[in-house]
Amino acid sequence: MKLLLIEDEPRIVEFVVHGLAAAGFMVQHAGDGERGLALARERTHAAIVLDAMLPKLDGFDVLRQLRQEGIATPVIILSAKVDLPYRLLGFETGADDYLAKPFFMEELIARIKALLGRRTSNPSQLLQVGELSLNLVSRKAQWHDLSAALSPREFSLLEYLMQSPGHIFSRKKILSHVWGIDFDPETNVVDVCVQRLKRKLSRSNDVSLLPIESVRGVGYRIRTEPA
Ligand code: CA
């Protein structure tokens, strides 16, 4: 599970990265708002911990921009400003949670876990693209009348693609999001995983009907139009 920390104060960065790593999260860090926004646009993070006061681009501007672009990654704002108007502004801008500085690491971790849990604990939560659906609780995929239990990687990959139907995800991005691999080791695990998914959701040898489309030389996407 990879998190993005956008924070400029070295002391807090060290404290938070260390604490989140100890809790089992992978953490990517950005030291200013512009860099943070660029990383968040890659859509590879389970949640974003966002400082309000940042160089180059303010935390609220980062959040506003993300939400305008339809990026729904859960965001928890960290801010020394605890007055109600600031907190309300955070929620109005699209924050999912707000934590006042100084804070206890245990509380930040608990809040992040609550945010991540909330996304998958609602039994009605089903990702659906045409005839393809993914149950976020049982982690089963259904394609027409065929249902299949998925491995954690298969689930994570399909969930990632289905969150933005039509969007082409590069192998590099998929590797980063699903496997946590941030370099390009020339591995074909992504292709192998997609093939496995296709076979699981296909009754015959014809796997071309499933709307996972390989875009030559670029990556994969969920097709929104019939093939
Ligand atoms: Ca700051």
Side-chain angles (χ1 to χ4, degrees):
M1 202 75 97
K2 190 165 79 166
L3 305 176
L4 174 60
L5 171 66
I6 311 177
E7 165 69 71
D8 59 315
E9 235 173 288
R11 201 172 41 84
I12 298 182
V13 171
E14 198 189 330
F15 167 68
V16 172
V17 168
H18 187 264
L20 291 179
F25 292 105
M26 276 186 290
V27 186
Q28 193 170 20
H29 167 245
D32 65 67
E34 280 180 7
R35 170 92 180 127
L37 181 60
L39 290 175
R41 281 184 175 133
E42 293 176 4
R43 301 172 192 243
T44 60
H45 309 95
I48 299 171
V49 180
L50 176 64
D51 181 30
M53 304 258 278
L54 289 166
K56 293 193 182 172
L57 196 61
D58 185 60
F60 288 106
D61 290 331
V62 171
L63 179 56
R64 194 172 293 120
Q65 190 62 36
L66 286 177
R67 295 307 187 232
Q68 269 171 14
E69 293 175 21
I71 297 170
T73 310
V75 169
I76 177 164
I77 290 185
L78 297 179
S79 176
K81 293 183 179 172
V82 293
D83 295 350
L84 183 62
Y86 281 104
R87 281 184 282 150
L88 290 181
L89 177 64
F91 287 116
E92 279 161 18
T93 309
D96 298 272
D97 203 353
Y98 196 106
L99 184 57
K101 287 179 178 176
F103 56 88
F104 290 102
M105 198 58 223
E106 290 85 347
E107 185 173 4
L108 176 61
I109 291 167
R111 285 174 181 267
I112 290 171
K113 284 184 175 168
L115 270 187
L116 299 178
R118 218 171 282 158
R119 295 183 72 215
T120 51
S121 64
N122 179 350
S124 71
Q125 236 176 355
L126 204 66
L127 271 179
Q128 183 115 30
V129 181
E131 293 295 325
L132 177 65
S133 65
L134 181 64
N135 187 312
L136 302 180
V137 180
S138 68
R139 303 194 154 219
K140 278 187 177 167
Q142 179 139 5
W143 167 240
H144 290 280
D145 59 340
L146 260 177
S147 172
L150 305 181
S151 75
R153 300 282 194 209
E154 290 160 359
F155 172 81
S156 181
L157 184 135
L158 192 57
E159 184 195 22
Y160 188 42
L161 297 181
M162 286 179 73
Q163 276 168 358
S164 304
H167 181 87
I168 302 171
F169 292 90
S170 68
R171 284 177 179 75
K172 201 168 163 226
K173 275 192 185 172
I174 296 173
L175 265 179
S176 172
H177 183 85
V178 179
W179 280 266
I181 297 173
D182 272 322
F183 52 97
D184 187 357
E186 312 245 326
T187 165
N188 68 343
V189 289
V190 176
D191 311 82
V192 170
C193 190
V194 168
Q195 285 314 312
R196 256 200 330 263
L197 260 175
K198 285 186 166 183
R199 275 197 302 272
K200 275 193 179 180
L201 291 167
S202 165
R203 189 164 280 138
S204 64
N205 287 327
D206 184 10
V207 294
S208 64
L209 295 172
L210 192 72
I212 303 177
E213 182 182 21
S214 166
V215 182
R216 193 176 286 273
V218 189
Y220 288 100
R221 72 170 160 195
I222 295 290
R223 208 169 39 225
T224 50
E225 305 280 324

